[in-house]
Amino acid sequence: KHVGGWMEGVGMELEQNEKGEKVLPLDGVLTLGMGVLCTLAYWAPVAMENKFLVSNVIAWALAMVSLGAISLGSFQTGAILLAGLFCYDIFWVFGSDVMMTVATKVEAPVKFIYPAPPSDTPRAYPFSVLGLGDVVIPGLFVRFASKIDEALQPQNLSYFSVATAAYAVGLLTCFGVNEITHAGQPALLYLDPSLVGSALACAVANDQLEEVWNFREAEEEAGKEE
């Protein structure tokens, strides 16, 4: 009973076997074990250059949990959120050194880091950085696009496929500008217009602009349940 209460406390539900006895789910135990191992490896007294993949795994896990737990609710909410964060990201990257300081000085699994490509220009920080918010926030919009696909059944272009491609193009553009200018770039400067613009263009191509603009996930799901 004590073990069962503890497992429920960490979000793991007990399963019943053929005899009706409550047992620990194998996938949950394996996931918990991997989480403990990653945490121990991350806090090991080793240079970040030698354990950046562990940091990325933890950041990826946080991103996946966030994407599964948060919903935008409506297309207009998503567009407004991305527009606000578009301005926010630009200001704090170009108008202040706060973002760059956090990205390069704070070592925590709240960002994805990759060894920077060879360059003749000395680098103060040996990694290329992508903030967790630059994955989660646009990712929520991409996930929302899949909900639009399910509800509206577009005939010409898939909103999810277009959003995924738009994210890839925006991210590649951001990294390209970063390499050319050797200056930190606000990823949402490239991602947000790419996502919202491509979604609206896709809606026009599918002749569903009004439906997409007024789409609300909660109403659609409630309609399905009824």
Side-chain angles (χ1 to χ4, degrees):
K1 185 176 181 180
H2 176 71
V3 173
W6 178 82
M7 298 307 290
E8 291 178 358
V10 298
M12 190 185 301
E13 297 182 359
L14 297 177
E15 296 179 345
Q16 288 188 342
N17 60 16
E18 296 178 353
K19 297 180 180 179
E21 301 172 338
K22 289 189 175 182
V23 295
L24 298 177
L26 179 60
D27 57 346
V29 174
L30 291 175
T31 302
L32 180 61
M34 290 175 61
V36 172
L37 289 176
C38 286
T39 301
L40 293 175
Y42 180 81
W43 288 110
V46 180
M48 185 56 70
E49 287 84 349
N50 298 324
K51 60 179 180 181
F52 72 92
L53 288 177
V54 175
S55 177
N56 289 344
V57 168
I58 297 175
W60 174 82
L62 293 173
M64 293 302 101
V65 170
S66 300
L67 290 176
I70 304 172
S71 173
L72 293 177
S74 72
F75 184 88
Q76 294 179 26
T77 298
I80 292 172
L81 175 65
L82 291 183
L85 292 175
F86 170 84
C87 299
Y88 172 90
D89 211 20
I90 291 174
F91 173 78
W92 287 109
V93 172
F94 291 145
S96 167
D97 62 353
V98 172
M99 284 291 194
M100 293 303 299
T101 300
V102 171
T104 59
K105 302 298 182 183
V106 178
E107 291 299 349
V110 293
K111 57 188 177 182
F112 293 92
I113 53 178
Y114 310 92
S119 173
D120 296 332
T121 305
R123 294 177 179 268
Y125 191 63
F127 295 105
S128 294
V129 179
L130 180 65
L132 196 59
D134 299 326
V135 174
V136 173
I137 301 301
L140 291 174
F141 194 87
V142 174
R143 176 176 176 268
F144 187 76
S146 70
K147 300 295 183 180
I148 299 178
D149 271 344
E150 293 176 6
L152 301 185
Q153 297 292 313
Q155 298 299 314
N156 299 320
L157 296 172
S158 163
Y159 293 99
F160 176 76
S161 298
V162 168
T164 302
Y167 182 85
V169 170
L171 195 59
L172 288 173
T173 302
C174 178
F175 281 133
V177 174
N178 181 58
E179 282 302 309
I180 293 172
T181 62
H182 297 290
Q185 298 293 312
L188 297 183
L189 167 64
Y190 307 93
L191 294 174
D192 291 1
S194 178
L195 287 170
V196 177
S198 65
L200 293 175
C202 186
V204 171
N206 290 321
D207 196 23
Q208 296 176 326
L209 181 59
E210 184 177 354
E211 292 91 334
V212 169
W213 180 252
N214 295 314
F215 182 80
R216 301 182 67 87
E217 182 180 357
E219 291 181 358
E220 295 294 336
E221 290 182 350
K224 287 182 179 180
E225 291 177 359
E226 293 175 1

